[in-house]
Amino acid sequence: MKKSVLLLLMVNVFAFSSEFITIGTGSVTGTYYPTGGAICKLVNKYKKETKIRCSVEATDASVYNIRAIDEGELDFGIAQSDAVYQAINGIKKFKNHPIKELRSVMSIYTELFTLVTRKDANIKSIDDIVGKRINIGNVGSGNEATAMTLLNELNIKPSDFSYVGRLKAGEAPDAIRDNLIDGYFYMVGHPTANIKDASNTSDIYLTPISGPKIDEFLKRNPYYIKDVIPANIYKGVKKPVPTFGAKAVLVTSSDVSSKAVYTLVKAILEDFEEFKKLHPVYKYITKKSLLEGLGAPLHEGAAKYFKENNFIK
């Protein structure tokens, strides 16, 4: 047999025996996309031994990722814990269509709901958005879902704005710079390149999302938590900014193989300190926090690893 034919057969055998997994993320300037890349980097580090290869796909984020997993178009996805909770329970964006096969793999980091505004728009509180040009997020994104949940609770309708933006998060900094919008909502881990871009090209203000109305909102939506955006991580933002947040959760389907999920979890946990160095937002995560705020049951492959290593009983 010729050497070239033998080589081709070997490549085909390897390809046939390998399992390819794809992680749906979000905008390339957000935190989901580099997070997917960080996970795949560690999974692919062991691809010769595990025969599992990982790739990343930029998507419209949380709600899109969950639906794509449900439809078999993605193996894994990153999503806000509130969207995960809503999907498994068939409420809000997933009303009358619960996704019972949705499974958690692990919680990654805390995302904070952020209102980025132009300083000259003078939006000092959440109530000041009425009459302004506000980007609530593209259809199907977690940004849109959280924004609409909050606005409904505050009795603010999209028609109360002078303009309702449906831009993707990655498009919003340019819209701020070009004075096409006064502000945009973004659920994201901090620091993020997106808001750094906005602060480097425009005079921005991060509007506090706090007060008695927000306290009542959080009581009615207990999967959110109070938190603050740290000071001095964006140009011109010198004080901590109070807001609320959710967890960024890696999710999959019960149909995805236990081997793939177990391998992914092991790759992250075996190189956990290396993982934490791959993005500034991972600085405060702990092995314990990986099991907080999941919103959906653990996949059996993830549970197997966590049980073997005494994370859970």
Side-chain angles (χ1 to χ4, degrees), residues 223-252:
Y223 38 77
Y224 294 126
I225 56 172
K226 275 188 177 183
D227 212 323
V228 296
I229 302 165
N232 300 313
I233 57 173
Y234 304 114
K235 184 179 177 181
V237 182
K238 297 179 180 179
K239 295 181 179 180
V241 181
T243 184
F244 65 91
K247 287 286 188 176
V249 181
L250 183 65
V251 291
T252 187

Side-chain angles (χ1 to χ4, degrees), residues 91 110 121 138 143 149 152 170 181 195 204 239 276 293-294:
I91 59 175
T110 301
N138 54 295
N143 292 328
T149 298
N152 287 337
I181 57 175
I195 299 175
I204 67 162
K239 295 181 179 180
K276 288 179 66 173
L294 296 174

Side-chain angles (χ1 to χ4, degrees), residues 289-302:
S289 72
L290 298 177
L291 290 166
E292 295 174 350
L294 296 174
L298 271 175
H299 189 282
E300 61 181 12

